[in-house]
Amino acid sequence: MALETGLKKQLTILGSTGSIGIQALEVVRNHPERFGVEVLTAQNSWDLLLKQAIEFQPNAVVIGNPDYYSRLCDGLEKYPVKVFAGEDAISQVVDMEGADIILNALVGYAGMIPTYTAVSAGKRVALANKESLVIAGELIMTEAAKNGAFIIPVDSEHSAIFQCLVGEDPRSVEKIYLTASGGPFRGKNRNELEIATIDDALNHPNWKMGDKITIDSATMMNKGLEVIEAHWLFGLTPEQIEIIVHPQSVIHSIVQFTDGSMKAQMGVPDMRLPILFALGFPERIPTDINRLSFLEYPLLTFEQPDRELFRNLPLAYQALEVGGNAPCILNAANEIAVQAFLERRLPFLGIPAVIEKCLEMMPHIQKPGLEDYITTHHQTTEKANQIISEQLWKY
Ligand code: MG
């Protein structure tokens, strides 16, 4: 694994038109001497992808939805940018030579096979797609170790833990605390959550993010997924991973060591910081991003998450304990339930109810391979849709 310093690095950004992709390109725009763009990909946003391609002049672009292929080709006619289309092309560009870092900013299950392909090719992966590790963490970490690939987290909590662990012996870690803002429904009661609307759920107090992760924050499934992500990234048991609600979101996470000492990583809640760290590591690249002013945060507070109201938290721990394909089932059920909530086919509290039902009903596989994960995902998707349309869930 090459970690040369001072060299310009070429990036492949999967999902360049999403929230993380756009912020990553802002980082590239501000540091042209450090980063260049090799490949950009988008699912449907061909017009933004076109603008990005004209500005950053990558070697290639991929549009997942082939319906937009000809429009993209027309727009890039005068430029030396190759254009590909289709879901398969996204996985294929991942192991192209020329990219030093693959930033996986895809949302949900769609990111899993590209992560697997990238680590199989021994690439350095800046991972924003936490679902990759939730679905197939064991397989991806094994494959990464086998091929000398290096996964560096972009998720702010995991970036914080990674930063706290630099220079430390992993055996000296006693436990970690993943901080959670608590989302827009912190402190609410069951009656309030029963009638929670999409607008309420999308109104996150501290972070500006895409719709899927914002709903995941409101249900606290985001933190559940992050527990599973941390398990695989840092080799910790479920008992070593604790969630603490910290509404100000300036402590991004904490490591507690065997001598009783603790290290926390802090900063303003701005995703450009963990993106820049992941792309620049082992260097810290100077920026003018806002500095945290302690006087603006005279009070930092901490509380226990409400595990009875936010049932996704115990469900995520349960899936992690059961292991095998259980986290894959959890993730697939969550993706369908969140989509149904956004389409007004499922109430807010129906989300964990659908996930619980899927965990009960789907067959368990203790040692899944890649094909088993793909099958589990698709079968759970079908099952979750059936549970929602036939109203088989209850809370
Ligand atoms: Mg996070």
Coordinates of all heavy atoms in Angstrom, one line a residue, residues 130 155-157 222-223 226, ligand 1:
K130 N -21.4 3.2 3.9 CA -21.3 2.3 5.1 C -22.0 1.0 4.9 O -21.7 -0.1 5.4 CB -21.8 3.0 6.3 CG -23.3 3.3 6.3 CD -23.7 4.2 7.5 CE -23.4 5.6 7.1 NZ -23.7 6.6 8.2
D155 N -17.2 8.2 6.8 CA -18.3 8.5 7.8 C -17.6 9.2 9.0 O -16.5 8.8 9.4 CB -18.7 7.1 8.3 CG -20.2 7.1 8.7 OD1 -20.7 8.2 9.0 OD2 -20.8 6.0 8.9
S156 N -18.2 10.3 9.4 CA -17.5 11.2 10.4 C -17.1 10.5 11.7 O -16.0 10.8 12.2 CB -18.3 12.5 10.6 OG -19.6 12.1 11.2
E157 N -18.0 9.6 12.2 CA -17.7 9.0 13.5 C -16.5 8.0 13.3 O -15.6 7.9 14.1 CB -18.9 8.1 13.9 CG -20.1 9.0 14.3 CD -20.9 9.4 13.1 OE1 -20.5 9.1 11.9 OE2 -21.9 10.1 13.3
N222 N -29.2 4.9 11.2 CA -27.9 5.3 10.8 C -26.9 4.9 11.9 O -25.8 4.4 11.5 CB -27.9 6.8 10.6 CG -26.5 7.3 10.1 OD1 -26.0 6.7 9.1 ND2 -25.9 8.3 10.7
K223 N -27.2 5.1 13.1 CA -26.2 4.7 14.2 C -26.1 3.2 14.3 O -25.0 2.7 14.5 CB -26.7 5.4 15.5 CG -25.6 5.8 16.4 CD -24.5 6.6 15.8 CE -24.9 7.9 15.1 NZ -23.8 8.7 14.5
E226 N -23.9 2.2 11.7 CA -22.5 2.6 12.0 C -21.9 1.7 13.1 O -20.6 1.5 13.1 CB -22.5 4.0 12.5 CG -22.8 5.0 11.4 CD -22.8 6.5 11.7 OE1 -22.6 6.8 12.9 OE2 -22.9 7.3 10.8
Ligands
MG1 MG -21.9 9.1 10.4

